[in-house]
Amino acid sequence: MACRECVSGALHEGIPTGREETIHGLPTYVSEPPSGPVKGIIVLIPDGLGWTFNNSRILADTYAKRTNSRVYLPDFMDGHAMSVSLIAHYDAVAGQGWMIGKVLPAIQMLSGFVPFTFFTRLAVTQPRVFKFFHDLRNDEASLPIGAAGFCWGGKFVFLLCGTSEKAANGKNLIDCGFTAHPSNLVNPADANAVILPLSVAVGDADMLMPLKEAKQVKDILEAKGEDTHEVVILPGATHGFAVRARPDDEKAVQLGKQATEQGVNWFTRWFDKLSL
């Protein structure tokens, strides 16, 4: 499901440097490393604003450059991502002003949330996501594969790190995962199910994962092994901080950079280890 925190934040400026292709049947934004051999593949599973959201494409470019990996950002939502205009509607609802002036933006937000929630429900999207990873693993058997999920996409990283499904070649669908401010989790079940290496970044002010739940997830995952699982709880971070930080909020920007650093370090570490 979606809530107003899923569209909080800001649209980032910048020109993505990747390209659009069809990968395993899905429209996909592809970002390549600037030089050298490709160390691995990272599939970015985005927040509710989808594969065309400028922030997510810029983030994909950052991961490609920093990890020397090929990054795929597919349209797992089949064209049903929420509109970027909802960010402005959120600002109107959350800002100061007369209540009467918030009615129309609130209705517009609701009109965006309802179809998104229906068309991207788990029963519809999980088979699509898992098929992509099955096809990818069968096609790219020689390279390590990681999944990076944000908000809506975080649920799938937990599921991929917790599944015993194998590709046709007998390999796990992914080798490791990273997620920031995941949503739609069912805990403790989702955390208990995790098997593969997983790194999580979450804020202590995230309405979609309250601090008590974040600490529970941290205890469960890190009990599996601190070298293979980590949960970093960032003071002051709210939902969406890793993707939609407001450029004029220096603290939020730094928290976003910290989450990116965590993800980059995680994939670099595991890709290097798997390449030995």
Side-chain angles (χ1 to χ4, degrees), residues 153-199:
K155 170 73 171 184
F156 298 98
V157 174
F158 267 81
L159 293 175
L160 287 162
C161 284
T163 184
S164 58
E165 283 190 33
K166 305 287 185 182
N169 56 24
K171 292 193 172 186
N172 292 324
L173 300 186
I174 65 171
D175 295 296
C176 59
F178 166 77
T179 177
H181 45 83
S183 63
N184 300 321
L185 297 181
V186 179
N187 283 314
D190 283 340
N192 281 328
V194 169
I195 304 167
L196 300 174
L198 174 62
S199 175

Side-chain angles (χ1 to χ4, degrees), residues 12-80:
H12 295 171
E13 296 181 353
I15 300 174
T17 58
R19 63 187 186 276
E20 293 183 7
E21 291 186 22
T22 298
I23 305 293
H24 300 303
L26 297 181
T28 302
Y29 177 77
V30 182
S31 187
E32 299 280 359
S35 61
V38 174
K39 287 188 175 182
I41 296 174
I42 298 172
V43 180
L44 198 156
I45 311 176
D47 63 16
L49 295 167
W51 79 293
T52 62
F53 186 37
N54 203 58
N55 298 25
S56 292
R57 292 191 170 196
I58 292 173
L59 191 60
D61 292 343
T62 299
Y63 273 88
K65 180 179 180 181
R66 296 281 308 279
T67 67
N68 222 54
S69 301
R70 179 177 300 120
V71 179
Y72 292 144
L73 171 56
D75 180 16
F76 288 126
M77 301 172 189
D78 194 30
H80 295 290

Side-chain angles (χ1 to χ4, degrees), residues 115-133:
F116 170 79
T117 300
F118 177 77
F119 287 111
T120 65
R121 63 194 186 279
L122 195 62
V124 173
T125 50
Q126 184 176 347
R128 186 181 300 137
V129 171
F130 272 52
K131 181 182 183 302
F132 183 91
F133 279 93

Side-chain angles (χ1 to χ4, degrees), residues 210-231:
L211 183 57
K212 182 178 179 180
E213 182 182 350
K215 289 181 176 178
Q216 179 190 47
V217 171
K218 181 178 177 70
D219 289 343
I220 292 171
L221 291 183
E222 293 185 353
K224 297 173 185 287
E226 292 187 5
D227 59 332
T228 55
H229 301 84
E230 67 176 12
V231 177

